[in-house]
Amino acid sequence: MSMVTAADGTGIFYKDWGPKDAQPIVFHHGWPLSGDDWDAQMLYFLGEGYRVIAHDRRGHGRSAQISEGHDMDHYAADAAAVVEHLDLREAIHIGHSTGGGEATHYVARHGQRQGRVAKLVLISAVPPIVVKTATNPGGLPIEVFDGLRKALAGNRPQFYLDFASGPFYGFNRPGAAPIPGVIENWWRQAMMGGAKAQYDGVKAFSETDFTEDLKAIDVPTLVMHGDDDQIVPIHDSALLSAKILKRGTLKVYEKFPHGMCTTEADTVNPDLLAFIRS
């Protein structure tokens, strides 16, 4: 397996496909999944002549299942370790959900300062902050995330099956047709990771405030979000991020779910390509 060692000794798994002299696209996956969640995008952009890279977040997928470091500072530093190991330049960074927070933190804290980043894309992403606070009154109550932690600790396999079968892809909506293979692949990825990393990751994706990161980003950034996202509601995420970013462009998709990169890849992929080529 392709592994890089992070600053604290953690082994981070990554996939690196395509011509080494092609423009790189780096994908940051959502909670509690792995780099495999980007299959539909990696194959598409590989076919378009790009170099595509996806890593598994620490504690997730094939990366080391360590006990500590499950926070955005470590997530971004781990992404930087992969990028620097491969010496990627003029890279496009694309993050989904929690990966959108990771990509935002990486670009603001590492990649942009090193001159490695060309553009950023945030899809169904958690910035600026998900949880309800005094300064973020439109956020989700902390009880929502306490409920996620309780369900994970109580019966992780069943919780993940229910999550993928229902709100993640919008399969709980009237008239929706669940896709068994998509549900089972989500469950497979989630169960590959460690329960401790995924439990701690709830705090990382829900309570981290990315406002200052968004303000610091100078590269062109595309913010893509479905208006039927039941996991990261659009009104307190994409709509706010697009206003904070200096060079942000907002694209809203009617009735698209949180997991739109999989179920709506035929729409999402060409839109990503258009932004990358613009």
Side-chain angles (χ1 to χ4, degrees):
M1 295 197 301
S2 298
M3 303 285 290
V4 63
T5 302
D8 65 354
T10 303
I12 303 297
F13 169 84
Y14 67 90
K15 294 183 281 190
D16 178 13
W17 303 343
K20 298 302 183 280
D21 59 348
Q23 185 173 24
I25 303 177
V26 182
F27 296 93
H28 304 251
H29 68 80
W31 176 94
L33 305 174
S34 73
D36 292 352
D37 201 44
W38 290 108
D39 283 354
Q41 284 67 49
M42 291 185 71
L43 290 173
Y44 177 85
F45 283 101
L46 188 64
E48 294 292 334
Y50 291 89
R51 180 182 181 182
V52 292
I53 299 97
H55 68 286
D56 293 353
R57 188 167 301 120
R58 61 170 53 211
H60 296 65
R62 290 139 294 201
S63 290
Q65 291 194 15
I66 63 168
S67 176
E68 307 302 331
H70 306 296
D71 56 70
M72 282 294 163
D73 286 346
H74 282 87
Y75 293 170
D78 293 347
V82 174
V83 170
E84 291 161 25
H85 173 70
L86 298 175
D87 195 24
L88 304 179
R89 305 281 177 177
E90 290 298 305
I92 312 294
H93 283 263
I94 301 178
H96 174 254
S97 193
T98 297
E102 175 185 287
T104 296
H105 210 52
Y106 163 77
V107 170
R109 303 295 177 91
H110 300 274
Q112 195 169 250
R113 295 177 180 180
Q114 298 170 352
R116 295 182 178 273
V117 180
K119 293 181 180 180
L120 172 65
V121 182
L122 305 178
I123 307 175
S124 309
V126 295
I129 182 173
V130 179
V131 73
K132 181 177 181 179
T133 65
T135 56
N136 185 46
L140 296 173
I142 189 65
E143 288 78 14
V144 171
F145 307 105
D146 290 340
L148 294 180
R149 284 183 280 258
K150 182 178 179 180
L152 189 159
N155 188 338
R156 185 169 69 128
Q158 188 60 51
F159 167 51
Y160 285 165
L161 185 61
D162 294 341
F163 203 67
S165 301
F168 194 91
Y169 294 110
F171 291 149
N172 58 338
R173 293 305 196 202
I179 306 171
V182 167
I183 294 168
E184 291 166 12
N185 188 47
W186 197 100
W187 186 90
R188 174 192 68 83
Q189 292 179 68
M191 292 304 297
M192 285 174 66
K196 175 64 162 59
Q198 294 167 352
Y199 187 97
D200 291 353
V202 174
K203 178 180 179 67
F205 77 67
S206 64
E207 297 183 38
T208 303
D209 189 341
F210 299 95
T211 302
E212 295 306 313
D213 290 332
L214 292 168
K215 290 179 180 179
I217 292 173
D218 292 321
V219 298
T221 303
L222 175 63
V223 181
M224 308 168 74
H225 218 104
D227 67 4
D228 193 33
D229 190 324
Q230 300 173 66
I231 308 302
V232 181
I234 189 172
H235 68 271
D236 200 52
S237 54
L239 301 186
L240 300 180
S241 291
K243 292 179 180 179
I244 297 170
L245 288 158
K246 296 172 185 175
R247 302 174 67 184
T249 299
L250 175 66
K251 192 169 183 65
V252 178
Y253 295 84
E254 184 178 1
K255 298 182 179 179
F256 277 23
H258 186 67
M260 66 184 192
C261 293
T262 298
T263 58
E264 306 294 342
D266 287 347
T267 298
V268 170
N269 289 349
D271 286 353
L272 287 171
L273 181 62
F275 173 70
I276 291 170
R277 287 181 172 173
S278 66

